[in-house]
Amino acid sequence: MEALIPVINKLQDVFNTVGTDIIQLPQIVVVGTQSSGKSSVLESLVGRDILPRGTGVVTRRPLILQLVHIDAEDRRKTNEENASRKNGRLYKGIEGEEWGKFLHTKNKIYADFEDIRKEIEAETERITGNNKGISDEPIHLKIFSPHVVSLTLVDLPGITKVPVGDQPNDIEIQIRELILKHIANPNSIILAVTAANTDMATSEALKVAREVDPDGRRTLAVVTKLDLMDAGTDAMDVLMGRVIPVKLGIIGVVNRSQLDINQKKLVADSIRDEHAFLQKKYPSLANRNGTKYLARTLNRLLMHHIRDCLPELKTRINVLAAQYQSLLNSYGEPVEDKSATLLQLITKFAAEYCNTIEGTAKYIETAELCGGARICYIFHETFGRTLESVDPLGGLTTIDVLTAIRNATGPRPALFVPEVSFELLVKRQIKRLEEPSLRCVELVHEEMQRIIQHCSNYSTQELLRFPKLHDAIVEVVTSLLRRRLPVTNDMVHNLVAIELAYINTKHPDFADAIGLMNNNLDEQRRNRMKDLPPSVPRDKGAASSLQSAPGAEHGDGGTGNWRGMFKKGEEGLPGDRTYHQFLPPASPQRGHAVNLLDVPVPVSRKLSAREQRDCEVIERLIKSYFLIVRKNIQDSVPKAVMHFLVNNVKDCLQSELVGQLYKTALLNDLLIESEDMAQRRNEASDMLKALQKASQVIAEIRETHMW
């Protein structure tokens, strides 16, 4: 199982190259208050002075420290790998048995640990400056030594409460957010460091750890400065877990004092002194405390933790690799042959546009109707229902019909209903079909415009790489649609004009309707004659019914005498319609002159039987012929729109695009990628390579390594 920690270190290196924390790797995060001894604990684990020391805020950037245990054979092999030949001379690689490497200095080897400490200080100041500010950008350091156990540790800035010097006022919040960012990783082990000369119940490190790990399953407590406790007190209850129990345990250590550091006391001597102190002060707990026991415990915890996290980690890496592969495919390959690429994109767009209309597109919209399906909906639902909602007699009142009949007869009373009145009125009604027909053309045109955007968003995402090409294609297609719109409108206008040009009263459907109407009128007349009293001769029934209107005594027909029509309170047959006529303010007596300049006022009277019959005949004829024309328009307008607009655009689209855009002078301009596309492609490519490499690293682990 020792092989697991190097695997995680390899994964850490792989993902460091792409500079992202997309994968949460198992690691040990050191948390504690300022000057609680966090850095001293880390140095004890390394066995060397590598970290900046001093008072106040010293650790101002996260330090990801990878300890790699090597033996003599590994060291010789590394020496050979790092030996380099320059100017024909062989230069030796690493001097000594321990060395370090920083990520930001690439392959530079630091054999002197004093140089490592100075580099940490310089790199910290490079990002955070000379003040006491902090940064969340980590420093990556790898230490190779035969005297360490394999560990991955993260040293964080200490928890502070009051800004010092020129620190920002929200320094406490910044440090707290930085700590929570690292310990919130469920794959991390929290090393909560607390000084022994403070009350364990006031430990900020344990408080923060408990926020993200309330069960304490991944928290290990370390009590530092055991030798600095007040006289007469000890940490026995704390180390035994009687004050605050911690599931993974509590380990006490003794750090070097600042005087020891100033006097260059070796870490090895410090560990020896620590062991002697524990044997003297805590003999029963000496074998379960101290730096060496802490290192072994951390190594064991980290290995078991890695073993538990590895299956989920492997799944996560594979899923991300598939996602980034798909993302990279959507970005497309860098353009090499611009001419071929342009022609391919134009052809693909034209094909997708036509396929969207035909309903055979690769990407089918599920949220709403689109393309050909919406055009079909416009034809048969929107346009069809709109035409069906047009009332054949809408906007036509009885007075309009009667007035049209009278105007068609001229000065002579008519024996029959004049044909001209029917023709005038039916044309007026047919004209009302033109507006919904033109609106149908407009709706189809709008949908053809929407298909452009649909193809750009869903079908040909490559177009999004080239904004200028996308805009040019949209402009060409829009221009083509704009040119076809007047032609289609003219055709639809002509379809209505054709119907208006010749009223075909010999139409078979119209002839059938007239025959049916005549039968109905005959039946009504027979029913009326049956209801006449026996004293009235049958052959005079019709005349009696016609003469029932007042004014017949003067020998006038139903439509003949204006004075008879102006009389009030006339009684007609039951069910007769009310007719609104205009009457002068004062009805003249017979024999008196009529002032023709008087303004007529509307009055109501019942229609005579003749008037009622004439109106009914005209209205039925209008309705019958209107339905025939509406049926023709409902059938012919969609056909005209399909031929003159939809099919024409489909047929001409590719040739139009090629003719307008496939020009040598436009190649370079049209195929300029958007500014961030190349960057995003490179980032996705780097991430994909890192994930694939990580997958290979995990795949090398055998089941035997995990137990």
Side-chain angles (χ1 to χ4, degrees), residues 642-655:
M642 285 300 296
H643 176 72
F644 286 93
L645 181 61
V646 180
N647 290 344
N648 191 282
V649 169
K650 278 171 51 183
D651 295 340
C652 301
L653 180 60
Q654 183 166 354
S655 59

Side-chain angles (χ1 to χ4, degrees), residues 105 133 372 461 532 564:
T105 58
Q461 290 187 354
L532 290 175

Side-chain angles (χ1 to χ4, degrees), residues 525 529 532-546:
R525 189 179 64 207
M529 294 187 68
L532 290 175
S535 59
V536 180
R538 293 286 179 184
D539 56 349
K540 295 184 180 179
S544 300
S545 64
L546 290 174

Side-chain angles (χ1 to χ4, degrees), residues 380-401:
H380 302 292
E381 298 293 331
T382 308
F383 178 58
R385 287 180 180 176
T386 303
L387 287 189
E388 288 170 6
S389 68
V390 177
D391 182 9
L393 301 174
L396 203 60
T397 62
T398 307
I399 188 172
D400 294 336
V401 177

Side-chain angles (χ1 to χ4, degrees), residues 359-373:
T360 57
K362 185 177 179 182
Y363 298 91
I364 296 178
E365 181 69 63
T366 56
E368 60 177 354
L369 289 178
C370 124

Side-chain angles (χ1 to χ4, degrees), residues 350-365 370-373 454 459 650:
E352 288 294 340
Y353 190 92
C354 296
N355 290 340
T356 304
I357 295 175
E358 294 295 334
T360 57
K362 185 177 179 182
Y363 298 91
I364 296 178
E365 181 69 63
C370 124
H454 173 82
S459 304
K650 278 171 51 183

